[in-house]
Structures are given as C-alpha cells and as structure tokens.
Amino acid sequence: MSLDEHEYRRLLCSMSLGYTAYHVWALQARRERKFNIARLLAAASSVKRIRAELAFRALGEVGKTSDNVARALAGLEPESVATGPVTGTGAISRDLLNRAARALAEGRDLLASELDDLFVCGGCGELMEGPTDACAICGTVREGFQSFRAAEAMGNLGPTSIMRRLEQSITTIHALMSDIDEELLAVRAVGGYSIKELIGHLADTDEVFRERAWLILELDEPRLPAAHPPKLAKAEVYRTHPLADLFEHFQNSRQQTLDLLRGLTAAAWRRTGNHPIFGIVPLTHQGNWVIEHERSHLVEMAQLRHDLLHQHDQFNPPVLPPNLVAEILEGE
C-alpha cells in the first residue's frame, strides 16, 4: 500500500466515524430540543461526510452504478487502519463546539446571536460561519454550499406542506382517541404523560403558535413570546377533563389557526419575527416548529395507545422508549 493510499484509507475511516458520531449527536440534540446546537452538529457531520466521500472516490471505490451494485452484493470489505482523532480537529470546529459547551454548562441552547448561519463547501468540506461568496480553500462558489441556517433549524416544510400537516393532525388525534376506553386515555406512561394530557398540551401549544403567527402577520418583526406553558407538567389538569371537551378544545384552536393562515401569500409566509433563541425567523420557521413538536407527541401518543390496548398487565403503566418522549424547553 502506498503512503497516499494509506492516508486516504485513514481519512475514509476517520471521516466515516466522525460523520456517524456527529449525525447521531445532532439527532440527540434535536431530541433534547437544542436546535441551534443540533444545527452545528449537523454541519460538522456534513463536513465529515463530504471528506469521507472524497477519500472513497480517491481510492477508486466508486464506479458505474451497475458495478457499485455488484460490489454491494458481493460485500465491500475495506482494510482496517488506525483513524486518529475523528471529531473537532479544525480550529473553527473547536471554536463552535466550545461555544456549545459553554451554553450547555448554563443549561441552554446556543442563541442565534451566538451562532451565525453555517455553510459547508460541497467541494472540499470546509466549514464556514456566516455568508461568504466562495470557499477560501477550493474556490467553490456559495451556490455549491450546503446551508445550515437558523431560519431552517426546525425543518424545511413550505406553506402548502405546513397547512396540510396542521389539518391532518385533527384527523390523527381523533383516530388515536377512538375505540379506546376513556379511563385508559388518562393512564400515564412511566416517566411520561397520558393521552389526555398530550391532547390538552397540543392545544396549548397551538395557541402559542397562533399568537406568534398573528404577531408576525400584523407587526413588523415583532418580538415573539416564549412558549407558555413551557412544561408538560402544566397539562396535568387535563387528565380529569372529559375527552370530548379536550378534543373540541384542540379542534377549535386548530381551526382558528388554519383560518388565520389559509390563503396567505408567499410573501406573508416570509414575514419575520424576533425569537429569543432562534433570532430573526420567518413564519415558516414557526410553522415547522409547531409541526415538529406535534409530530413527536403524535408518535408518543400512538405508541402509548398501542401499549395500552395490547399490554397484558393492566396494573402496570406502559414504559415508552425514551426517544419518543418530547418536550418544549423553557423559552422555546
């Protein structure tokens, strides 16, 4: 093996491991609702993926698709090599990670004022903070960058998809609460909450979103209020509410939200507000925010419903996988 080939194999191994590490860490940060830190980790993951791809290609491991499929079926067995460090080795990466570490030491996410939009060069994998016209390393223009913007931290759904998801939630929640004893809907999972509490919580969150949307549409770059109630524990009162009342509460709130948003122009969806954590964000950001939060709880509710209907021991509450339990953080 030549020195160059050995180095490429070392890079491939190191960058592949680094990609996996940062990718999974980004997912974990999202689960903990540290969305700006997740954005940083996702950008770092992209750096590693691009550099792993460059090394893989340099080793001649990429051919025509027919050859690649044949190799996949045959089984690709790369040689094992020592990797060296796989994370945080560049100066900018270490600077960004140190900022994240300081924020986490204070029990919070990075603020938008502490982390600018991030870009990764698609040509060489260089990580950049803030807008730039071209990569200083390889000259790739900004159109060839991958972007990790604060405004897109929640997701990239456009107005049509946002509206469709908001509408679908009414049907989904109705299906989740149908054909199940109302007493079971008040049963809490271990370390979690009941379906009744979650329905009430989603209605509360929808009201927060609608308030923010109204402010964005009516005022010029308003300061957006933090999520309230910020904790699911505030929803405990809903355990004793009649199910029909809870669903009506959610349905009425969601219908008001849909009425507010229906028929908005593309320009209206681009109107912005000033969020204490995420900075200047468009209405689409907040639409993705409520949908991302809602999706997590709908999965949680579906799992809880399944376990309640199929568990053999009715005296022990269900235990949900930890990754299914979501929550809004203070100030989010």
Side-chain angles (χ1 to χ4, degrees):
M1 179 186 295
S2 69
L3 180 62
D4 286 344
E5 184 179 352
H6 179 84
E7 180 63 14
Y8 278 130
R9 292 201 180 279
R10 186 195 68 78
L11 283 171
L12 174 60
C13 188
S14 173
M15 296 301 158
S16 297
L17 288 172
Y19 161 72
T20 301
Y22 279 119
H23 177 71
V24 176
W25 292 340
L27 293 176
Q28 180 62 30
R30 288 189 70 85
R31 286 173 184 158
E32 296 178 15
R33 305 193 70 78
K34 304 289 195 303
F35 289 101
N36 280 322
I37 293 176
R39 182 164 59 89
L40 162 58
L41 295 171
S45 173
S46 181
V47 169
K48 301 295 184 180
R49 183 194 60 77
I50 291 170
R51 290 178 177 170
E53 178 185 342
L54 291 173
F56 195 64
R57 288 183 179 279
L59 287 166
E61 301 285 8
V62 181
K64 293 182 178 179
T65 300
S66 57
D67 296 331
N68 297 336
V69 170
R71 293 195 67 197
L73 288 170
L76 181 63
E77 297 184 19
E79 296 182 36
S80 177
V81 294
T83 66
V86 299
T87 61
T89 53
I92 185 171
S93 294
R94 297 200 69 81
D95 175 45
L96 295 172
L97 289 169
N98 279 325
R99 291 185 220 170
R102 288 192 292 270
L104 290 168
E106 297 174 7
R108 61 177 178 83
D109 192 7
L110 280 167
L111 304 179
S113 59
E114 298 171 312
L115 184 68
D116 204 340
D117 291 341
L118 299 175
F119 301 91
V120 177
C121 174
C124 68
E126 181 70 5
L127 177 62
M128 296 159 278
E129 184 181 18
T132 184
D133 290 333
C135 175
I137 303 300
C138 71
T140 296
V141 295
R142 62 185 176 186
E143 287 79 5
F145 297 167
Q146 294 181 16
S147 61
F148 299 84
R149 305 175 191 272
E152 300 168 350
M154 289 297 163
N156 295 299
L157 294 179
T160 301
S161 295
I162 290 172
M163 292 296 290
R164 184 169 61 249
R165 298 284 185 91
L166 292 174
E167 291 169 344
Q168 287 173 344
S169 291
I170 298 174
T171 304
T172 301
I173 290 176
H174 185 268
L176 288 172
M177 61 184 236
S178 299
D179 302 320
I180 183 171
D181 190 273
E182 185 160 345
E183 290 185 3
L184 289 179
L185 295 173
V187 174
R188 281 182 161 182
V190 174
Y193 297 87
S194 67
I195 290 178
K196 277 190 168 184
E197 288 169 287
L198 293 171
I199 294 173
H201 175 63
L202 292 182
D204 291 340
T205 307
D206 186 66
E207 291 175 1
V208 174
F209 168 57
R210 186 169 64 254
E211 178 185 7
R212 291 176 177 177
W214 184 88
L215 288 170
I216 289 172
L217 293 170
E218 294 296 324
L219 304 176
D220 290 332
E221 210 165 273
R223 183 167 181 80
L224 302 178
H228 54 83
K231 296 295 182 183
L232 245 174
K234 297 283 186 72
E236 183 177 4
V237 295
Y238 295 124
R239 292 182 77 189
T240 59
H241 285 208
L243 178 61
D245 292 351
L246 283 175
F247 181 68
E248 183 179 12
H249 176 42
F250 175 81
Q251 188 175 33
N252 288 343
S253 177
R254 179 51 51 86
Q255 193 58 56
Q256 291 178 54
T257 300
L258 291 169
D259 290 343
L260 175 66
L261 301 176
R262 190 170 284 115
L264 290 181
T265 64
W269 281 98
R270 289 195 297 269
R271 287 181 62 86
T272 57
N274 190 345
H275 190 279
I277 295 176
F278 305 118
I280 306 300
V281 294
L283 179 54
T284 50
H285 174 281
Q286 287 297 285
N288 278 277
W289 170 77
V290 74
I291 286 170
E292 194 278 339
H293 169 258
E294 203 162 272
R295 184 201 63 80
S296 299
H297 280 313
L298 290 176
V299 173
E300 183 182 358
M301 290 166 66
Q303 184 70 55
L304 184 53
R305 171 190 166 89
H306 175 273
D307 292 354
L308 288 169
L309 289 174
H310 294 88
Q311 67 182 10
H312 299 293
D313 185 354
Q314 295 291 327
F315 297 100
N316 289 324
V319 180
L320 300 184
N323 64 303
L324 292 187
V325 181
E327 180 51 291
I328 287 181
L329 298 183
E330 189 92 37
E332 184 183 315

Coordinates of all heavy atoms in Angstrom, one line a residue, residues 164-234:
R164 N -51.1 21.4 5.3 CA -51.6 20.0 5.2 C -51.3 19.3 6.5 O -52.2 18.6 7.0 CB -50.9 19.3 4.0 CG -51.5 17.9 3.8 CD -51.0 17.3 2.5 NE -49.6 17.1 2.4 CZ -48.8 17.9 1.6 NH1 -49.3 18.8 0.8 NH2 -47.5 17.7 1.6
R165 N -50.2 19.4 7.1 CA -49.9 18.8 8.3 C -50.7 19.3 9.5 O -51.2 18.5 10.3 CB -48.4 19.0 8.7 CG -47.4 18.4 7.7 CD -47.3 16.9 7.8 NE -46.2 16.4 6.9 CZ -45.0 16.3 7.2 NH1 -44.6 16.6 8.5 NH2 -44.1 15.8 6.4
L166 N -51.0 20.6 9.5 CA -51.8 21.2 10.5 C -53.2 20.6 10.4 O -53.9 20.3 11.4 CB -51.8 22.7 10.4 CG -50.5 23.4 10.8 CD1 -50.6 24.9 10.5 CD2 -50.1 23.2 12.2
E167 N -53.7 20.5 9.2 CA -55.1 19.9 9.0 C -55.1 18.4 9.4 O -56.1 18.0 10.0 CB -55.5 20.1 7.5 CG -55.7 21.6 7.2 CD -55.9 21.8 5.7 OE1 -55.5 20.8 4.9 OE2 -56.3 22.8 5.2
Q168 N -54.1 17.7 9.0 CA -54.1 16.3 9.3 C -54.1 15.9 10.7 O -54.6 14.9 11.1 CB -52.9 15.6 8.6 CG -53.0 15.6 7.1 CD -51.7 15.1 6.4 OE1 -50.6 15.1 7.0 NE2 -51.8 14.7 5.2
S169 N -53.5 16.8 11.6 CA -53.4 16.5 13.0 C -54.8 16.3 13.6 O -55.0 15.5 14.6 CB -52.7 17.6 13.7 OG -51.3 17.6 13.3
I170 N -55.8 17.0 13.2 CA -57.2 16.9 13.7 C -57.6 15.4 13.5 O -58.1 14.8 14.4 CB -58.1 17.9 13.1 CG1 -57.7 19.3 13.4 CG2 -59.6 17.6 13.6 CD1 -58.5 20.4 12.6
T171 N -57.5 14.9 12.3 CA -57.9 13.6 12.0 C -57.1 12.5 12.7 O -57.6 11.5 13.2 CB -57.8 13.3 10.5 OG1 -58.5 14.3 9.8 CG2 -58.3 11.9 10.1
T172 N -55.8 12.8 12.8 CA -54.9 11.8 13.5 C -55.2 11.7 15.0 O -55.3 10.6 15.5 CB -53.4 12.3 13.4 OG1 -53.1 12.4 12.0 CG2 -52.5 11.3 14.1
I173 N -55.4 12.8 15.6 CA -55.8 12.8 17.1 C -57.1 12.1 17.3 O -57.3 11.3 18.2 CB -55.8 14.2 17.7 CG1 -54.3 14.7 17.7 CG2 -56.4 14.3 19.1 CD1 -54.2 16.2 18.2
H174 N -58.1 12.4 16.4 CA -59.4 11.7 16.6 C -59.2 10.2 16.4 O -59.9 9.5 17.2 CB -60.3 12.3 15.5 CG -61.7 11.8 15.6 ND1 -62.2 10.6 15.0 CD2 -62.8 12.2 16.4 CE1 -63.4 10.4 15.3 NE2 -63.8 11.3 16.2
A175 N -58.4 9.8 15.5 CA -58.2 8.3 15.4 C -57.5 7.7 16.6 O -57.8 6.6 17.0 CB -57.4 8.1 14.1
L176 N -56.6 8.5 17.2 CA -55.8 8.0 18.3 C -56.7 7.8 19.5 O -56.4 7.0 20.4 CB -54.6 8.9 18.6 CG -53.5 8.8 17.6 CD1 -52.4 9.9 17.9 CD2 -52.8 7.5 17.6
M177 N -57.7 8.6 19.7 CA -58.6 8.5 20.9 C -59.8 7.7 20.6 O -60.6 7.5 21.6 CB -58.9 10.0 21.3 CG -59.7 10.7 20.3 SD -60.1 12.4 20.8 CE -61.9 12.4 20.7
S178 N -60.0 7.2 19.4 CA -61.2 6.4 19.1 C -61.0 5.0 19.5 O -59.9 4.4 19.6 CB -61.5 6.5 17.6 OG -61.7 7.8 17.2
D179 N -62.2 4.3 19.9 CA -62.2 2.9 20.2 C -61.2 2.5 21.3 O -60.6 1.4 21.3 CB -61.9 2.1 18.9 CG -62.8 2.3 17.8 OD1 -64.0 2.5 18.1 OD2 -62.4 2.4 16.6
I180 N -61.1 3.3 22.3 CA -60.3 3.0 23.5 C -61.0 3.6 24.7 O -61.6 4.7 24.6 CB -58.9 3.6 23.3 CG1 -58.0 3.2 24.6 CG2 -58.9 5.1 23.1 CD1 -56.5 3.5 24.4
D181 N -61.0 2.9 25.8 CA -61.7 3.3 27.0 C -61.2 4.6 27.5 O -60.0 4.8 27.5 CB -61.6 2.2 28.1 CG -62.5 2.5 29.2 OD1 -62.1 3.2 30.2 OD2 -63.7 2.0 29.2
E182 N -62.1 5.5 27.9 CA -61.6 6.9 28.3 C -60.7 6.8 29.6 O -59.8 7.6 29.7 CB -62.8 7.8 28.6 CG -62.4 9.2 28.9 CD -63.5 10.2 28.7 OE1 -64.5 9.9 28.0 OE2 -63.3 11.3 29.2
E183 N -60.9 5.8 30.4 CA -60.1 5.7 31.6 C -58.6 5.4 31.2 O -57.7 5.9 31.8 CB -60.6 4.5 32.5 CG -61.9 4.8 33.2 CD -62.3 3.7 34.1 OE1 -61.5 2.8 34.3 OE2 -63.4 3.9 34.7
L184 N -58.5 4.6 30.1 CA -57.1 4.3 29.6 C -56.4 5.6 29.1 O -55.2 5.7 29.2 CB -57.1 3.2 28.5 CG -57.5 1.8 29.0 CD1 -57.5 0.9 27.8 CD2 -56.5 1.3 30.0
L185 N -57.2 6.5 28.5 CA -56.6 7.7 28.0 C -56.0 8.6 29.1 O -55.3 9.5 28.8 CB -57.7 8.5 27.2 CG -58.2 7.8 25.9 CD1 -59.3 8.5 25.3 CD2 -57.1 7.6 24.9
A186 N -56.4 8.3 30.3 CA -55.8 9.1 31.4 C -54.7 8.4 32.1 O -54.0 8.9 33.0 CB -56.9 9.4 32.5
V187 N -54.3 7.2 31.6 CA -53.2 6.4 32.2 C -51.9 7.0 31.7 O -51.7 7.2 30.5 CB -53.3 4.9 31.8 CG1 -52.1 4.2 32.3 CG2 -54.5 4.3 32.4
R188 N -51.0 7.3 32.6 CA -49.7 7.8 32.2 C -48.7 6.7 31.9 O -48.7 5.7 32.6 CB -49.1 8.7 33.4 CG -49.7 10.1 33.4 CD -49.0 10.8 34.5 NE -49.2 12.3 34.4 CZ -48.7 13.2 35.2 NH1 -48.0 12.8 36.3 NH2 -48.9 14.5 35.0
A189 N -47.8 6.9 31.0 CA -46.7 6.1 30.8 C -45.7 6.3 31.9 O -45.7 7.4 32.5 CB -46.0 6.3 29.4
V190 N -44.8 5.4 32.2 CA -43.8 5.6 33.2 C -42.8 6.7 32.7 O -42.3 6.6 31.6 CB -43.0 4.3 33.4 CG1 -41.8 4.5 34.3 CG2 -43.9 3.2 34.0
G191 N -42.7 7.7 33.5 CA -41.9 8.9 33.1 C -42.4 9.7 32.1 O -41.8 10.6 31.5
G192 N -43.7 9.5 31.7 CA -44.3 10.3 30.6 C -45.7 10.8 31.0 O -46.0 11.0 32.2
Y193 N -46.6 10.9 30.1 CA -47.9 11.5 30.3 C -49.0 10.7 29.6 O -48.7 9.8 28.9 CB -47.9 13.0 29.8 CG -46.8 13.8 30.5 CD1 -45.5 13.9 30.1 CD2 -47.2 14.5 31.6 CE1 -44.6 14.6 30.8 CE2 -46.3 15.3 32.3 CZ -45.0 15.3 31.9 OH -44.0 16.1 32.6
S194 N -50.2 11.1 29.9 CA -51.3 10.4 29.4 C -51.7 11.0 28.0 O -51.3 12.1 27.7 CB -52.5 10.4 30.3 OG -53.0 11.8 30.5
I195 N -52.5 10.3 27.3 CA -53.0 10.8 26.0 C -53.9 12.0 26.2 O -53.8 13.0 25.5 CB -53.8 9.7 25.3 CG1 -52.9 8.6 24.8 CG2 -54.6 10.3 24.1 CD1 -53.5 7.4 24.1
K196 N -54.7 12.0 27.3 CA -55.5 13.2 27.6 C -54.6 14.5 27.8 O -54.9 15.5 27.3 CB -56.3 13.0 28.8 CG -57.6 12.2 28.6 CD -58.5 12.3 29.8 CE -59.9 11.8 29.5 NZ -60.8 11.9 30.7
E197 N -53.5 14.3 28.6 CA -52.6 15.4 28.9 C -52.0 15.9 27.6 O -51.8 17.1 27.4 CB -51.6 15.0 29.9 CG -52.1 14.8 31.3 CD -51.1 14.2 32.2 OE1 -50.8 12.9 32.0 OE2 -50.5 14.9 33.0
L198 N -51.6 15.0 26.7 CA -50.9 15.3 25.5 C -51.9 16.1 24.5 O -51.5 17.0 23.9 CB -50.4 14.1 24.8 CG -49.2 13.4 25.6 CD1 -48.9 12.1 24.9 CD2 -48.0 14.3 25.6
I199 N -53.1 15.7 24.5 CA -54.1 16.4 23.7 C -54.3 17.8 24.2 O -54.2 18.8 23.4 CB -55.5 15.7 23.6 CG1 -55.4 14.3 22.9 CG2 -56.5 16.6 22.9 CD1 -56.6 13.5 23.0
G200 N -54.4 18.0 25.5 CA -54.5 19.3 26.0 C -53.3 20.2 25.8 O -53.3 21.4 25.5
H201 N -52.1 19.5 25.9 CA -50.8 20.2 25.7 C -50.7 20.7 24.3 O -50.2 21.8 24.0 CB -49.7 19.2 26.1 CG -48.3 19.8 25.8 ND1 -47.8 20.9 26.4 CD2 -47.4 19.3 25.0 CE1 -46.6 21.1 26.0 NE2 -46.3 20.2 25.1
L202 N -51.1 19.8 23.3 CA -51.0 20.2 21.9 C -51.9 21.4 21.6 O -51.6 22.3 20.8 CB -51.4 19.1 21.0 CG -50.4 17.9 21.0 CD1 -50.8 16.8 20.0 CD2 -49.0 18.4 20.7
A203 N -53.1 21.5 22.3 CA -54.0 22.6 22.1 C -53.3 23.9 22.6 O -53.4 25.0 22.0 CB -55.3 22.4 22.8
D204 N -52.7 23.8 23.8 CA -52.0 24.9 24.4 C -50.9 25.4 23.5 O -50.7 26.6 23.3 CB -51.4 24.5 25.8 CG -52.5 24.3 26.8 OD1 -53.6 24.8 26.6 OD2 -52.2 23.6 27.8
T205 N -50.1 24.5 22.9 CA -49.0 24.8 22.0 C -49.5 25.5 20.8 O -48.9 26.4 20.2 CB -48.2 23.6 21.7 OG1 -47.8 23.0 22.9 CG2 -46.9 24.0 20.9
D206 N -50.7 25.0 20.3 CA -51.2 25.6 19.1 C -51.6 27.0 19.3 O -51.4 27.9 18.4 CB -52.5 24.8 18.6 CG -53.1 25.2 17.3 OD1 -52.4 25.1 16.3 OD2 -54.2 25.8 17.3
E207 N -52.1 27.3 20.5 CA -52.4 28.7 20.8 C -51.2 29.6 20.8 O -51.2 30.8 20.4 CB -53.1 28.8 22.2 CG -54.5 28.1 22.1 CD -55.2 28.1 23.5 OE1 -54.5 28.6 24.5 OE2 -56.3 27.6 23.6
V208 N -50.1 29.1 21.3 CA -48.8 29.8 21.3 C -48.4 30.1 19.9 O -48.0 31.2 19.5 CB -47.7 29.0 22.0 CG1 -46.4 29.7 21.9 CG2 -48.0 28.8 23.5
F209 N -48.5 29.1 19.0 CA -48.1 29.3 17.6 C -49.0 30.3 16.9 O -48.6 31.2 16.2 CB -48.2 27.9 16.9 CG -48.2 28.0 15.4 CD1 -47.1 28.6 14.7 CD2 -49.2 27.6 14.6 CE1 -47.0 28.8 13.4 CE2 -49.1 27.7 13.2 CZ -48.0 28.3 12.6
R210 N -50.3 30.2 17.2 CA -51.3 31.2 16.6 C -51.0 32.6 17.0 O -51.1 33.5 16.2 CB -52.7 30.8 16.9 CG -53.7 31.6 16.1 CD -55.1 31.1 16.2 NE -55.7 31.1 17.6 CZ -55.8 30.0 18.4 NH1 -55.4 28.8 17.9 NH2 -56.3 30.0 19.6
E211 N -50.7 32.8 18.3 CA -50.3 34.1 18.8 C -49.1 34.6 18.1 O -49.1 35.8 17.6 CB -50.1 34.0 20.3 CG -49.7 35.4 20.9 CD -49.3 35.3 22.4 OE1 -49.2 34.2 22.9 OE2 -49.1 36.4 23.0
R212 N -48.1 33.8 17.9 CA -46.9 34.2 17.2 C -47.2 34.5 15.8 O -46.6 35.5 15.2 CB -45.8 33.1 17.3 CG -45.2 32.9 18.7 CD -44.3 31.8 18.7 NE -43.6 31.6 20.0 CZ -42.8 30.6 20.3 NH1 -42.5 29.8 19.4 NH2 -42.3 30.5 21.5
A213 N -48.0 33.7 15.1 CA -48.3 33.9 13.7 C -49.0 35.2 13.5 O -48.7 36.0 12.6 CB -49.1 32.7 13.2
W214 N -50.0 35.5 14.4 CA -50.7 36.8 14.3 C -49.8 38.0 14.5 O -49.9 38.9 13.7 CB -51.8 36.8 15.4 CG -52.7 38.0 15.3 CD1 -53.8 38.2 14.6 CD2 -52.4 39.3 16.0 NE1 -54.3 39.5 14.8 CE2 -53.5 40.2 15.6 CE3 -51.4 39.8 16.8 CZ2 -53.6 41.5 16.0 CZ3 -51.5 41.1 17.3 CH2 -52.6 41.9 16.9
L215 N -48.8 37.9 15.4 CA -47.9 39.0 15.6 C -47.0 39.2 14.4 O -46.8 40.3 14.0 CB -47.0 38.7 16.9 CG -47.7 38.8 18.2 CD1 -46.7 38.2 19.3 CD2 -48.1 40.2 18.6
I216 N -46.5 38.1 13.8 CA -45.7 38.2 12.6 C -46.5 38.8 11.5 O -45.9 39.7 10.7 CB -45.2 36.8 12.2 CG1 -44.1 36.3 13.3 CG2 -44.6 36.8 10.8 CD1 -43.7 34.9 13.1
L217 N -47.7 38.5 11.3 CA -48.5 39.0 10.2 C -49.0 40.4 10.4 O -49.1 41.2 9.4 CB -49.8 38.1 10.0 CG -49.5 36.7 9.5 CD1 -50.7 35.8 9.6 CD2 -48.9 36.7 8.1
E218 N -49.1 40.8 11.7 CA -49.7 42.2 11.9 C -48.6 43.2 12.2 O -48.9 44.4 12.0 CB -50.7 42.1 13.1 CG -51.9 41.3 12.8 CD -52.8 41.9 11.7 OE1 -52.8 43.1 11.7 OE2 -53.4 41.1 10.9
L219 N -47.5 42.8 12.7 CA -46.5 43.8 13.1 C -45.2 43.6 12.4 O -45.0 42.5 11.8 CB -46.2 43.6 14.6 CG -47.4 43.8 15.6 CD1 -47.0 43.5 17.0 CD2 -48.0 45.1 15.5
D220 N -44.3 44.6 12.4 CA -43.0 44.5 11.7 C -42.0 43.9 12.6 O -41.6 44.5 13.6 CB -42.6 45.8 11.2 CG -43.4 46.3 10.0 OD1 -44.0 45.5 9.3 OD2 -43.6 47.6 9.9
E221 N -41.6 42.7 12.3 CA -40.5 42.0 13.1 C -40.8 42.1 14.6 O -39.9 42.6 15.4 CB -39.2 42.5 12.7 CG -38.1 41.5 12.8 CD -36.8 41.9 12.1 OE1 -36.7 41.7 10.9 OE2 -35.9 42.5 12.8
P222 N -41.9 41.6 15.1 CA -42.2 41.6 16.5 C -41.4 40.7 17.3 O -40.8 39.7 16.8 CB -43.7 41.2 16.5 CG -43.8 40.2 15.4 CD -42.9 40.8 14.3
R223 N -41.2 41.0 18.6 CA -40.6 40.0 19.5 C -41.6 39.0 19.8 O -42.7 39.2 20.3 CB -40.1 40.8 20.8 CG -39.3 39.8 21.7 CD -38.6 40.6 22.8 NE -37.9 39.7 23.7 CZ -36.7 39.2 23.4 NH1 -36.1 39.5 22.3 NH2 -36.1 38.4 24.3
L224 N -41.2 37.7 19.6 CA -42.1 36.6 19.8 C -42.1 36.1 21.2 O -41.0 35.9 21.8 CB -41.8 35.5 18.8 CG -41.8 35.8 17.4 CD1 -41.4 34.6 16.5 CD2 -43.1 36.3 16.9
P225 N -43.3 35.9 21.8 CA -43.3 35.4 23.2 C -42.8 34.0 23.3 O -42.9 33.2 22.4 CB -44.8 35.5 23.6 CG -45.5 35.4 22.3 CD -44.6 36.0 21.3
A226 N -42.2 33.7 24.5 CA -41.7 32.3 24.7 C -42.9 31.4 24.8 O -44.1 31.8 25.1 CB -40.9 32.3 26.0
A227 N -42.7 30.1 24.6 CA -43.7 29.1 24.7 C -44.3 29.1 26.1 O -43.6 29.0 27.1 CB -43.2 27.7 24.3
H228 N -45.6 29.1 26.2 CA -46.2 29.0 27.5 C -47.5 28.2 27.4 O -48.2 28.4 26.4 CB -46.6 30.4 28.1 CG -47.4 31.3 27.1 ND1 -48.7 31.2 27.0 CD2 -47.0 32.2 26.2 CE1 -49.1 32.0 26.1 NE2 -48.1 32.6 25.6
P229 N -47.8 27.2 28.2 CA -47.0 26.8 29.3 C -45.8 26.1 28.8 O -45.9 25.3 27.9 CB -47.9 25.9 30.1 CG -48.8 25.3 29.1 CD -49.1 26.4 28.1
P230 N -44.6 26.3 29.4 CA -43.4 25.7 28.8 C -43.2 24.3 29.2 O -42.4 23.6 28.5 CB -42.3 26.6 29.5 CG -42.9 27.0 30.8 CD -44.3 27.2 30.5
K231 N -43.9 23.8 30.2 CA -43.7 22.4 30.6 C -44.9 21.6 30.5 O -46.0 22.1 30.8 CB -43.2 22.4 32.1 CG -41.8 23.0 32.3 CD -40.7 22.3 31.5 CE -39.4 22.9 31.8 NZ -38.3 22.2 31.0
L232 N -44.8 20.3 30.1 CA -45.9 19.4 30.0 C -46.6 19.2 31.4 O -47.8 18.9 31.4 CB -45.4 18.1 29.5 CG -46.0 17.7 28.1 CD1 -45.3 16.4 27.6 CD2 -47.5 17.5 28.1
A233 N -45.9 19.4 32.5 CA -46.5 19.2 33.8 C -47.7 20.1 34.0 O -48.6 19.8 34.8 CB -45.4 19.5 34.9
K234 N -47.7 21.2 33.3 CA -48.8 22.2 33.4 C -50.1 21.5 32.8 O -51.2 22.0 33.1 CB -48.5 23.5 32.6 CG -47.4 24.3 33.2 CD -47.7 25.0 34.4 CE -46.6 25.9 34.9 NZ -46.4 27.1 34.1

